[in-house]
Amino acid sequence: MSAHPATEPAPTPNGRPDRPDRPGRPGRPDGPDGPGSGRPDGSRRSRKPGALRVRRSPGLLLAGLLPLAAAAATGLVVRSDITDPPFQRLDDRWLEWMGGPHDGPYLAAATVLNWFGGPVGAVLPLSLLFLLLFRRRWASAGFLLAAYLGGNMLVIQGLKHLVDRPRPADPLVRVDHGSFPSGHAATAALLVVVAGALLVPAARRRAWWYGGAVFTLAMMWSRTWLHAHWLTDTVAGAVAGAGAGLLTWWLFQPALTRESLRAHDRRGAAAGADPGAAAVPDGG
């Protein structure tokens, strides 16, 4: 026997009876806070950064592994004959082009780049590290340390000790053992990747990569112009440094994204805006 018409729930447009005794669920039109998902202004509820699932980019992993594999393979080829590898003629020809008088503006540029790749250049990553620690960006500081120390100590020094290629004769600057790969070129490429990941917005990174490539090429030129490295040493160094930076970026990608979200939410709260209504930053 059906209920009395006066007490039977009225049908809704979707054909289902209205349930006034049943509270609405967040994210449904009958929510207690209006259309949306249970917030007074009808906006969607923001997810906590710690609960956000961030997947590492396969493309970023591939971009890091391929250069490292190429540098390691080139190192094995050089190690098979350190005095006369298959591309030694190319290196000799390039070194001849880098001959001539070493003075004037070229010497000034090469000297500045030599300082940057040496102990003086460590001031930049150390200053950035202190800034990140001061701002409590722990994930970014960990990324910087892992990329800089891992790239230089594990990748570059590991290849230097593995290959131990002799340097060109009569270098114009003080050098250590092992010509392959170039530590200066590797550091330049590594810092370009790290700075791009931490300091440059995603929308402006294309211009940054172009500028970073020009800077790395200038560093490669300076090492051969100073007769401190063979051409292939600088190519392998730049490739290895970039690969180490990209691989470390891939490893830290979830932590960097969550850290970026937390910073975004704090800025939104300080401005009196709803952080959940804004677009989620990419975090690297």
Side-chain angles (χ1 to χ4, degrees), residues 11-38:
T12 58
N14 59 8
R16 296 182 180 179
D18 192 11
R19 300 293 298 275
D21 57 333
R22 184 178 181 182
R25 296 181 180 178
R28 295 194 175 186
D30 59 349
D33 298 322
S37 59

Side-chain angles (χ1 to χ4, degrees), residues 13-243:
N14 59 8
R16 296 182 180 179
D18 192 11
R19 300 293 298 275
D21 57 333
R22 184 178 181 182
R25 296 181 180 178
R28 295 194 175 186
D30 59 349
D33 298 322
S37 59
R39 295 180 66 90
D41 56 357
S43 62
R44 292 188 176 273
R45 188 182 303 273
S46 62
R47 179 180 292 183
K48 294 181 179 180
L52 180 66
R53 293 183 178 180
V54 182
R55 295 183 179 180
R56 294 182 175 92
S57 170
L60 192 59
L61 173 62
L62 191 63
L65 289 178
L66 287 180
L68 287 175
T74 306
L76 292 177
V77 172
V78 176
R79 188 174 184 270
S80 63
D81 189 354
I82 58 175
T83 59
D84 190 20
F87 34 76
Q88 186 62 48
R89 289 186 179 180
L90 173 63
D91 287 338
D92 291 337
R93 178 65 60 86
W94 182 266
L95 195 63
E96 291 177 4
W97 292 344
M98 295 294 103
H102 287 73
D103 53 15
Y106 297 107
L107 178 60
T111 302
V112 171
L113 291 170
N114 180 62
W115 288 344
F116 183 87
V120 177
V123 174
L124 179 61
L126 283 176
S127 301
L128 179 57
L129 176 63
F130 290 145
L131 177 62
L132 294 173
L133 293 175
F134 177 76
R135 298 181 62 181
R136 298 183 179 180
R137 292 178 57 179
W138 313 121
S140 297
F143 166 57
L144 173 61
L145 274 177
Y148 192 75
L149 297 180
N152 281 283
M153 294 184 177
L154 296 180
V155 177
I156 304 306
Q157 292 301 320
L159 286 173
K160 278 183 177 291
H161 285 81
L162 174 66
V163 179
D164 199 19
R165 184 186 189 185
R167 292 181 183 267
D170 303 322
L172 303 180
V173 290
R174 180 178 297 179
V175 293
D176 58 5
H177 79 94
S179 183
F180 183 94
S182 168
H184 281 65
T187 300
L190 178 65
L191 289 180
V192 166
V193 173
V194 171
L198 295 180
L199 304 178
V200 183
R204 301 178 181 177
R205 280 186 186 144
R206 177 173 295 184
W208 174 261
W209 300 142
Y210 289 150
V214 172
F215 169 70
T216 304
L217 288 172
M219 182 66 77
M220 295 165 60
W221 161 82
S222 72
R223 302 312 290 165
T224 57
W225 191 80
L226 293 170
H227 292 191
H229 287 281
W230 305 102
L231 175 63
T232 50
D233 300 338
T234 62
V235 174
V239 167

